[in-house]
Amino acid sequence: MVNRVRTVITPSGGIVRGKFPSKKNNRLIHHEGLLELEACYLFELSPYVTSYREQPIKIQYPDGIRLRTYTPDFELTLSTGDTVLVEIKHSAILARAEVQEKYNQITDHMLREDQPFSILTETSIRREPRLSNLRLAYRELLPHAPTNARLESVLPHLAILKELTIGDVSSILQPHNISAFDLLARGYLSCDLTLSLNSSTPVSISTERDYDSIRLSEELSF
């Protein structure tokens, strides 16, 4: 069981709260609002992200002569072993002067502490058809994330065809109980997520794992 440092006790203002069944973490992830829920699909399918947790730590940052406390929405552990703290925020809220000032102070503090930090808004999270593609892919993932060794063991079975589609891969790997989307989520397959996914979508085998297939933040390159 993972303890959150901040727990919402009193409901407020129509925010949809719930629990997301993370296959990558093998547990329920608490989310506050639909945007956080939608961000979970990005984290689940990003080859960069090996695990993530919600409301991970409390941070104190300076605001003039005062110290304020801030809890990021998520902490991502990346394939490099680095961690990134992430805030999920609607751009309309972020555009408010007082909110902008707050996150400028937090960002400056993170830079001084050499702690990677990123703010994701609906502009990147709700990019379509990518978000719909990730929802579809998530539904097709195994209930528990397979090991890299298991995924790598099935790659030779795909070498029999020069041109592959999602349907081809899933059909070839059906006896192994692995789908094309398990390989996509780990960077062993890549495809064009700017187009709607279906069984005819062309995919390519990555000779080196394609970590750029689902990029969350251009600024931080993950």
Side-chain angles (χ1 to χ4, degrees):
M1 180 178 178
V2 175
N3 292 323
R4 294 174 290 158
V5 299
R6 179 173 65 85
T7 303
V8 177
I9 299 174
T10 305
S12 63
I15 295 176
V16 177
R17 296 182 173 88
K19 299 175 184 178
F20 175 80
S22 169
K23 300 178 181 183
K24 182 167 280 187
N25 295 288
N26 193 27
R27 69 175 181 88
L28 295 174
I29 297 287
H30 294 77
H31 66 85
E32 297 181 14
L34 290 177
L35 199 56
E36 284 191 17
L37 169 62
E38 290 160 345
C40 288
Y41 288 102
L42 273 71
F43 305 154
E44 288 289 311
L45 274 296
S46 170
Y48 278 106
V49 179
T50 59
S51 64
Y52 61 98
R53 60 187 181 127
E54 70 279 37
Q55 300 168 358
I57 55 174
K58 288 184 179 180
I59 292 170
Q60 287 193 319
Y61 68 95
D63 177 10
I65 62 172
R66 302 179 62 182
L67 275 181
R68 297 192 182 276
T69 300
Y70 163 67
T71 303
D73 292 321
F74 293 100
E75 178 189 71
L76 313 183
T77 300
L78 305 184
S79 56
T80 59
D82 296 326
T83 60
V84 179
L85 299 178
V86 174
E87 176 71 20
I88 308 296
K89 192 69 65 181
H90 285 273
S91 55
I93 296 174
L94 200 59
R96 298 173 187 167
E98 70 278 10
V99 177
Q100 250 184 19
E101 175 63 20
K102 170 184 174 179
Y103 285 102
N104 285 342
Q105 292 171 343
I106 291 170
T107 299
D108 289 343
H109 173 75
M110 298 295 191
L111 284 171
R112 289 191 297 269
E113 295 295 316
D114 198 27
Q115 169 61 63
F117 174 68
S118 185
I119 301 175
L120 298 181
T121 71
E122 77 283 357
T123 303
S124 57
I125 294 172
R126 289 179 172 166
R127 192 183 308 160
E128 290 290 2
R130 186 179 72 168
L131 179 58
S132 294
N133 289 337
L134 298 183
R135 288 180 183 272
L136 182 154
Y138 168 80
R139 291 195 296 270
E140 299 298 324
L141 295 176
L142 288 175
H144 304 292
T147 64
N148 288 333
R150 184 180 176 196
L151 294 177
E152 289 168 4
S153 72
V154 302
L155 293 179
H157 297 282
L158 304 180
I160 60 175
L161 294 177
K162 291 185 178 179
E163 295 183 357
L164 290 166
T165 66
I166 284 178
D168 293 332
V169 174
S170 292
S171 178
I172 292 169
L173 297 184
Q174 186 175 14
H176 304 275
N177 193 30
I178 291 176
S179 78
F181 300 105
D182 292 301
L183 294 170
L184 178 67
R186 212 67 68 80
Y188 292 104
L189 284 185
S190 60
C191 65
D192 187 354
L193 290 172
T194 66
L195 303 175
S196 295
L197 291 184
N198 56 57
S199 60
S200 300
T201 298
V203 295
S204 57
I205 304 173
S206 305
T207 52
E208 294 185 3
R209 288 174 64 185
D210 182 9
Y211 289 102
D212 289 336
S213 56
I214 303 174
R215 183 180 288 275
L216 305 183
S217 170
E218 296 297 334
E219 296 82 3
L220 288 177
S221 299
F222 72 88

